[in-house]
Structures are given as C-alpha cells and as structure tokens.
Amino acid sequence: MELQLQNKIAVVTGASKGIGLATARTLHQEGALVVAASRRPSPELDALAGDRLRHIPVDLSTADGPARVIRAAEKEFGGLDILVNNAGGPPAGAVLPRFSFTDLDDADWHAMLEFNLMATVRAVRAAIPLLLARGGGAVVNVSSTLAHLPSGINVDYGVAKAGVRTLTKSLAEEFGPRGIRVNTVSPGPVRTPWWTEAGGAADVIAAATGSDRETVLDKGAAEMMQLTTGRLIDPQEVADTIVLLCSPRSGSTIGADILVDAGQRKAV
C-alpha cells in the first residue's frame, strides 16, 4: 500500500528506542522527513540519521522541551505535517511497575503527569499553527491499555494516559474540521527496553513473583495480563498502526483510539 508520505515532515518523540524508534524508522522508509526527539540518541537511531532524519536531544518533561522539537522541524525542514507523541513511560529516575496507589507521593504524580500528559499538551500546542499553515495534518498520541483497564498497578501512569485519550477526543473535535486529524493508539505490553533493560519491568515483576526475567519476558507477563497471543507485542506492530494513522489513506479516521493490545482488553 502506498501511504502517500513522501516528503511529509514528521516529528516523533521518544524516538531512540522501542515504539518511537520503530515509528521513526518506518516513516523514514516511507519517504518522510523526520525529526526524532529523545533525551539521548541510540546506535539504532544514529544509523538512520542523515539529510532526511535529524535527531534532537531534548528533555520533553521540561516546559519548553516539546516546543523546541517543533521549532526544530520548522528550522530543519520548513514546517510540519505529522506529530507522533510517543514519549512516555517512567519519568527519569522512576522504576515501573509500582504496585499500589500508596507507593506514590506528590512528586511521583507530578513527574508522571509532566512526562506523559503535559509533554503531549505542549507539543500539540506548538504544532497546531504549523499544521494549519500547511492545510492540516495528522497527530497520533500514544496512550496505553491502562487507560482502558484501571489498575492499582502504575495507577499514576494509567491516569496520565487516560488524560491523553480525552485530550485526543477534544482536539479531534475542535481541529478535525480544519484539516488536523488527531487519533490515539493504545498499546498493551510491548517488548521494549522498559521491559528488557536491567532493572526494568521484567526484573521488577520477577522479583515480586519469585520468577526470573526470561520467564517473565517469554510467557509470565503475557499470562499475567491475559494476552490472547501469549506473547508481548513487538514494537513494529504498534509502529505500523501509528504510521497508517499518519497517512492520508486514513483520512476519515478522526478521534479514534486504536488498541494494539494482543487481546488484553476483553470487554465489548
């Protein structure tokens, strides 16, 4: 399928690894001009860098960080057609999962909301004038199945991602008639460094359940979360959905929330 993304100008946040890296790579392969934002580069992102993909080092949890990335797209490539708000997960210094509401203090809540909700708010606020100047475009906000399945585990993260879903609906209603399509993708558990790095979710769950990290990654997490596929999700599977939503081929998909959850959410 031709996605009609040649020379479209895209910003992808959280682009150094996981879903963001897969999304930036796929947009690049489809011919887009990509600004890839993250705190630090990665070898995989460095391998993509060149005239058509620029890495912008930035802390998106800061008040000016998201706007800096949007300004970089205008400076590097002349405008903006696509914004993928993928950055999220544990704020700097936090280790997830956290197993109870009582594990969280005000500082934890503030850091989680700044990184997972306010970074999206600020990026969209900066992006809208550039998108309107080019006649519209696409915004894809990455949420989570925890926005659908409330839990005492990572409750602050779930609340922040539920806010992203509500924000998406509101933006779609206001700006859809002006040519900006805003949609959400809500992944289930994805096999990213958040899970696989030393001290990451697999190690935390293994310690809490008396298991080991490889068992958690290979089947334990999937069983615990009742994933129909029996495995964690591959980042590329989420990226493919994001990129399709970025494409003009999804021109009538507005205000949607697409689950890529390996069958985790069972409700009708």
Side-chain angles (χ1 to χ4, degrees), residues 120-131:
T120 297
V121 169
R122 291 164 178 149
V124 173
R125 186 164 56 209
I128 283 171
L130 296 186
L131 294 169

Side-chain angles (χ1 to χ4, degrees), residues 65-91:
R68 281 182 51 214
V69 177
I70 303 303
R71 291 195 298 268
E74 184 175 30
K75 178 181 177 181
E76 293 287 340
F77 298 125
L80 186 68
D81 301 298
I82 294 164
L83 170 61
V84 179
N85 283 306
N86 166 72

Side-chain angles (χ1 to χ4, degrees), residues 3-5 8 82 181 243-252:
L3 295 182
Q4 302 171 14
L5 292 172
K8 296 291 187 182
I82 294 164
R181 295 183 303 104
V243 173
L244 181 58
L245 288 172
C246 293
S247 166
R249 300 294 292 266
S250 296
S252 291

Side-chain angles (χ1 to χ4, degrees), residues 6-17:
Q6 187 70 31
N7 294 324
K8 296 291 187 182
I9 302 166
V11 163
V12 181
T13 67
S16 64
K17 54 190 176 182

Side-chain angles (χ1 to χ4, degrees), residues 222-244:
E223 291 173 354
M224 181 174 66
M225 296 184 223
Q226 298 183 316
L227 304 186
T228 304
T229 61
R231 63 173 176 82
L232 296 176
I233 300 160
D234 187 275
Q236 188 63 53
E237 295 169 326
V238 184
D240 288 343
T241 300
I242 292 170
V243 173
L244 181 58

Side-chain angles (χ1 to χ4, degrees), residues 186-208:
S186 291
V190 182
R191 190 165 177 140
T192 66
W194 178 5
W195 280 85
T196 60
E197 286 178 345
D203 286 338
V204 174
I205 292 172

